[in-house]
Amino acid sequence: MDKIKIDSSAAFLYPMPMVLVGSVVENKANFMAVGWVSRVNLKPPLIAVSLGPHYTNKGIDENKEFSINIPNISLMERTDYCGLVSGSKTDKSEVFDLFYGELKKAPLIKECPICISCILYNAVKLPFNTLYIGEPKEVFTEDKYMTDKQLDIT
Amino acid sequence: MDKIKIDSSAAFLYPMPMVLVGSVVENKANFMAVGWVSRVNLKPPLIAVSLGPHYTNKGIDENKEFSINIPNISLMERTDYCGLVSGSKTDKSEVFDLFYGELKKAPLIKECPICISCILYNAVKLPFNTLYIGEPKEVFTEDKYMTDKQLDIT
């Protein structure tokens, strides 16, 4: 079992979840696809998303609110689209049907099985990315995704 | 499509990768299973692991070095074991075959297809967990996991 050294940029982790991070920029909802996301604290259940320098960031920085929407396979094409085009050039507010909970600057996606509105807890500046750590304010799902009053993760 | 609100502690994300985080505590290698892990920066390719108050942390805090080892399915039982027992009570240094790269306080696991030695870049204290952000120093794999000089993630 001979080990070989490879370039450290290969240090990706799989499987990656894929979420749609939403914010309100210039009064419009905007979303981007993010694969670098993880739960980071037990109580409160903080979640971190790592964003490069994107249009979405502006809304989070200004409003201290954002959303995390977990798509299912049927949304893959539209999720991809949000990962490929920038909100600075394209209005993405009508790609999905939206709703809002208590946080009016955290746009939630009706089509997503799980929607989480977050209050910004901390923003950690890294050399290229910013790690936005959010505290969930509300989590929305649908009855059909629940089994015995628990979220059925399958 | 009626949305229902559920408890925010349900805000887990799937799929989760599972890694073995290693450090040297009191001159012995120690490992713990961690599911809250994500790449967080493009260049350098920083990786964050979120650890509760565990024995492993002591080694990271002292040495500013740690390792991330990505197990395959054949290691599931031993990975589980590392998640269930604490290094404070049980010597876990002989659960795996170890090797070291340049970082002598970042114990690497021979049985893992991918092993990453990290220099501590930043430790972000959260209410319960600590988010250890590491900069990969060396990434090790084996020829059999490479296809066309790229890591074959399948």
Side-chain angles (χ1 to χ4, degrees):
Chain A
M1 192 163 45
D2 288 327
K3 294 286 178 185
I4 54 172
K5 253 174 78 168
I6 57 173
D7 189 75
S8 67
S9 65
F12 278 86
L13 296 160
Y14 297 89
M16 276 198 306
M18 181 58 72
V19 300
L20 288 156
V21 172
S23 71
V24 172
V25 186
E26 288 166 16
N27 291 316
K28 279 192 174 160
N30 189 65
F31 295 93
M32 64 173 295
V34 178
W36 295 352
V37 51
S38 177
R39 179 83 174 261
V40 292
N41 193 70
L42 190 65
K43 279 188 178 185
L46 304 177
I47 300 174
V49 291
S50 177
L51 273 57
H54 286 288
Y55 191 70
T56 303
N57 307 25
K58 206 176 163 212
I60 306 176
D61 292 335
E62 281 177 13
N63 306 313
K64 317 290 182 205
E65 292 178 8
F66 64 98
S67 69
I68 295 172
N69 303 274
I70 306 180
N72 57 22
I73 199 87
S74 72
L75 297 173
M76 195 179 285
E77 204 172 309
R78 282 188 277 174
T79 301
D80 251 5
Y81 174 78
C82 284
L84 292 173
V85 304
S86 169
S88 63
K89 295 187 186 117
T90 310
D91 178 5
K92 285 188 261 182
S93 64
E94 290 180 9
V95 175
F96 302 103
D97 284 330
L98 305 182
F99 71 106
Y100 290 82
E102 287 176 46
L103 303 182
K104 300 307 174 195
K105 303 291 186 182
L108 303 168
I109 297 175
K110 273 191 194 157
E111 292 92 328
C112 286
I114 301 169
C115 305
I116 306 168
S117 66
C118 292
I119 295 168
L120 183 63
Y121 177 86
N122 194 5
V124 181
K125 293 271 175 202
L126 297 171
F128 183 78
N129 293 59
T130 302
L131 192 62
Y132 290 101
I133 302 175
E135 179 170 355
K137 173 76 178 170
E138 294 175 295
V139 180
F140 295 91
T141 187
E142 288 165 50
D143 261 330
K144 65 180 173 186
Y145 301 117
M146 302 290 280
T147 301
D148 297 334
K149 296 187 179 171
Q150 295 288 318
L151 195 60
D152 186 342
I153 58 136
T154 54
Chain B
M1 192 163 48
D2 289 328
K3 292 287 179 184
I4 54 173
K5 254 174 77 169
I6 57 173
D7 189 76
S8 68
S9 65
F12 277 88
L13 297 162
Y14 297 90
M16 277 199 304
M18 181 60 74
V19 300
L20 288 156
V21 172
S23 71
V24 171
V25 186
E26 288 166 14
N27 292 315
K28 280 195 172 157
N30 189 64
F31 295 94
M32 64 174 295
V34 177
W36 295 353
V37 53
S38 178
R39 179 81 175 263
V40 292
N41 194 69
L42 189 66
K43 279 187 179 185
L46 303 177
I47 300 174
V49 292
S50 177
L51 274 56
H54 286 286
Y55 191 70
T56 303
N57 306 26
K58 205 178 163 209
I60 305 177
D61 293 335
E62 281 178 13
N63 305 314
K64 317 290 182 204
E65 293 179 7
F66 63 98
S67 69
I68 295 171
N69 303 273
I70 305 180
N72 58 20
I73 200 84
S74 72
L75 297 173
M76 196 181 283
E77 202 173 309
R78 283 187 277 173
T79 300
D80 250 5
Y81 174 78
C82 284
L84 294 171
V85 304
S86 170
S88 63
K89 294 187 184 117
T90 311
D91 178 4
K92 285 188 262 183
S93 64
E94 290 181 8
V95 174
F96 303 102
D97 284 331
L98 305 183
F99 71 106
Y100 290 82
E102 287 178 45
L103 303 183
K104 299 307 172 195
K105 303 290 185 181
L108 303 167
I109 297 175
K110 274 190 192 159
E111 292 93 328
C112 286
I114 302 169
C115 306
I116 307 168
S117 65
C118 293
I119 294 169
L120 183 63
Y121 177 86
N122 193 6
V124 181
K125 293 272 175 200
L126 296 172
F128 183 78
N129 293 60
T130 301
L131 192 63
Y132 291 100
I133 300 174
E135 179 170 354
K137 175 75 177 168
E138 294 175 295
V139 180
F140 295 91
T141 186
E142 288 163 51
D143 262 330
K144 63 179 174 186
Y145 300 116
M146 301 291 279
T147 301
D148 296 334
K149 296 186 180 172
Q150 295 290 317
L151 195 59
D152 186 343
I153 58 139
T154 53

